[in-house]
Amino acid sequence: LGVELDLFRIEEEAGPGLIFWHAKGGLIRKIVEDWLREELLKRGYDLVFTPHIMRLDLWKTSGHTGYYRDSMFGPIEVEKADYQLKPMNCPGHILIYKSRLHSYRDLPVRLAELGTVYRYERSGVLHGLMRVRGFTQDDAHIFCMPSQIESEVEACVDFAFAVMKNFGFDKFEVELSDWDARHPENYAGKSEDWHRATAALAATMKHLNIPYKTIPGEAAFYGPKIDVKLIDAIGRPWQLTTVQFDFNLPARFGLQYVAEDGAKHQPLMVHRALLGSVERFFGTLIEHYAGAFPLWLAPVQVEICPVSEKVADYAKHVAETLKRHNLRAHLDDRNEKLPAKIRDAQLQKIPYMLVVGAKEAEAGTVSVRHRAKGDLGPKPLAEVVETLQREVDTRATS
């Protein structure tokens, strides 16, 4: 569907697992990201940007070279120093937090970034948009006091459910991923830290009355996590949202804040990604809607189909009117018969087709077709504009 609808491609000339976003896919991505950024600001996050490549020593400090080396690309030598394409955004956000000493009054500090990361996935596991080598995470890291940790995790879970509702998902599964106590060498931190962190996440889920399954051995190396899997329209689960507790990185980087008693204390840290990655989330959207995106997300919302060249001026007027009202309209002015234009618009899964002929031009109307409901009959142009705007504003999903 990605290729058929001209949304994205993977180009062998460039390499496997690397996504080229075409104009239509790029437009949907912008809509998703714009909505997310607005929500982040409303919910008290600060938006930041960090480099795609940083010194390898930073990744030694974080523990990634010890626990995550197999998923990282090789180092790059620059002026006799080794640099690393980032597989995660967390060390960059830690450096921003660490750039000045924080007071307890500053906490929680919530840093968010749509940050592109690079991971060495073996070619055998690469799969469309779902498993790639370069992708953009809607990442955030929250630095807080122990007394704030449960409310911050709750807020992350609430945000995750808001994302699902907004994009039309109403079914999900929740998992609590814990460490494998039989193999502590695969994880950072002490066993008591793991037990305390896992208990805090479990308490949050119980407080929210959210059913969950505990999955041993699926935690990140630096802490346990809550995973939310969306269930798409035909019942398939997709791993997207992750909320991770981290007691390890604040210690490794010597993070501090000045507490109410005047002493310096170590903050706790929460990693969270709601979409998971923009690429995987977009792939899930395509699958969920089978490419027939709701009106507010559709790259082309309305196809204008003139019956003949005789009504070309009126067809242009209809297109300009829709665009003036911020509706994404395309005028099919090809020298093709009407059934062919309608068929092509259907194949492109465009939500609405407006047929215009001599009668419509004379009456100032359009004949409305919906991709699923078929012919809806002639309607005044102003009424159609108002109806479409209302459907966009309410983010209707059908």
Side-chain angles (χ1 to χ4, degrees), residues 318-350:
V318 171
E320 289 165 3
T321 301
L322 292 168
K323 290 176 182 177
R324 197 165 59 247
H325 288 88
N326 298 317
L327 292 163
R328 296 186 290 277
H330 176 257
L331 172 58
D332 186 349
D333 55 3
R334 297 175 300 161
N335 186 23
E336 291 280 356
K337 293 188 182 297
L338 182 61
K341 294 181 180 182
I342 291 173
R343 183 189 66 242
D344 290 346
Q346 288 281 163
L347 289 173
Q348 284 298 301
K349 302 183 185 288
I350 296 170

Side-chain angles (χ1 to χ4, degrees), residues 35-301:
W35 179 86
L36 185 64
R37 286 191 176 100
E38 287 177 14
E39 281 296 309
L40 285 165
L41 293 173
K42 286 178 191 174
R43 291 171 183 260
Y45 287 81
D46 294 314
L47 300 179
V48 298
F49 299 86
T50 58
H52 291 219
I53 186 169
M54 292 174 262
R55 289 184 186 273
L56 182 63
D57 286 346
L58 185 68
W59 306 97
K60 293 177 181 176
T61 301
S62 69
H64 284 85
T65 54
Y67 296 99
Y68 204 70
R69 179 77 258 178
D70 288 348
S71 295
M72 296 163 65
F73 283 101
I76 301 166
E77 185 178 324
V78 181
E79 297 177 346
K80 298 184 179 178
D82 285 335
Y83 284 74
Q84 177 67 50
L85 279 170
K86 64 177 177 179
M88 296 184 183
N89 296 302
C90 29
H93 293 188
I94 286 170
L95 293 184
I96 291 175
Y97 176 88
K98 198 178 176 183
S99 65
R100 69 180 181 87
L101 183 61
H102 292 271
S103 159
Y104 71 95
R105 293 187 181 91
D106 301 330
L107 303 185
V109 171
R110 305 182 188 99
L111 302 179
E113 175 179 15
L114 285 160
T116 302
V117 298
Y118 305 89
R119 297 182 186 173
Y120 173 40
E121 301 282 5
R122 274 56 178 176
S123 56
V125 301
L126 296 174
H127 177 61
L129 287 171
M130 301 306 188
R131 200 77 179 259
V132 294
R133 287 178 173 167
F135 56 94
T136 300
Q137 285 190 303
D138 67 311
D139 234 346
H141 296 90
I142 300 166
F143 305 88
C144 63
M145 297 182 285
S147 61
Q148 298 169 322
I149 188 68
E150 287 195 22
S151 63
E152 288 302 310
V153 171
E154 279 191 32
C156 289
V157 174
D158 177 73
F159 198 170
F161 292 160
V163 169
M164 288 187 284
K165 181 180 178 182
N166 184 69
F167 289 99
F169 297 97
D170 55 8
K171 296 178 183 175
F172 58 89
E173 296 172 349
V174 180
E175 296 175 351
L176 176 53
S177 298
D178 199 359
W179 75 330
D180 184 348
R182 298 170 301 174
H183 296 284
E185 70 276 7
N186 294 332
Y187 305 90
K190 302 172 184 174
S191 62
E192 55 265 33
D193 292 329
W194 279 89
H195 292 314
R196 187 166 57 248
T198 303
L201 293 183
T204 302
M205 301 303 285
K206 286 172 184 171
H207 177 68
L208 292 171
N209 199 27
I210 296 172
Y212 67 92
K213 293 186 294 184
T214 300
I215 312 293
E218 286 297 311
F221 74 84
Y222 45 75
K225 59 179 179 169
I226 295 168
D227 289 325
V228 181
K229 294 184 176 180
L230 302 186
I231 309 299
D232 71 12
I234 59 173
R236 294 170 299 185
W238 300 99
Q239 169 61 52
L240 295 176
T241 297
T242 298
V243 181
Q244 299 176 325
F245 192 115
D246 190 343
F247 46 79
N248 177 54
L249 290 182
R252 283 178 171 267
F253 282 92
L255 302 187
Q256 296 178 325
Y257 69 94
V258 178
E260 200 168 0
D261 61 6
K264 292 179 180 177
H265 294 259
Q266 182 179 296
L268 296 178
M269 183 175 171
V270 176
H271 305 241
R272 74 108 193 94
L274 303 178
L275 306 181
S277 80
V278 174
E279 285 74 9
R280 179 176 286 188
F281 184 74
F282 188 54
T284 305
L285 275 180
I286 294 172
E287 295 287 341
H288 183 62
Y289 290 111
F293 298 106
L295 186 67
W296 75 282
L297 279 175
V300 178
Q301 296 171 320

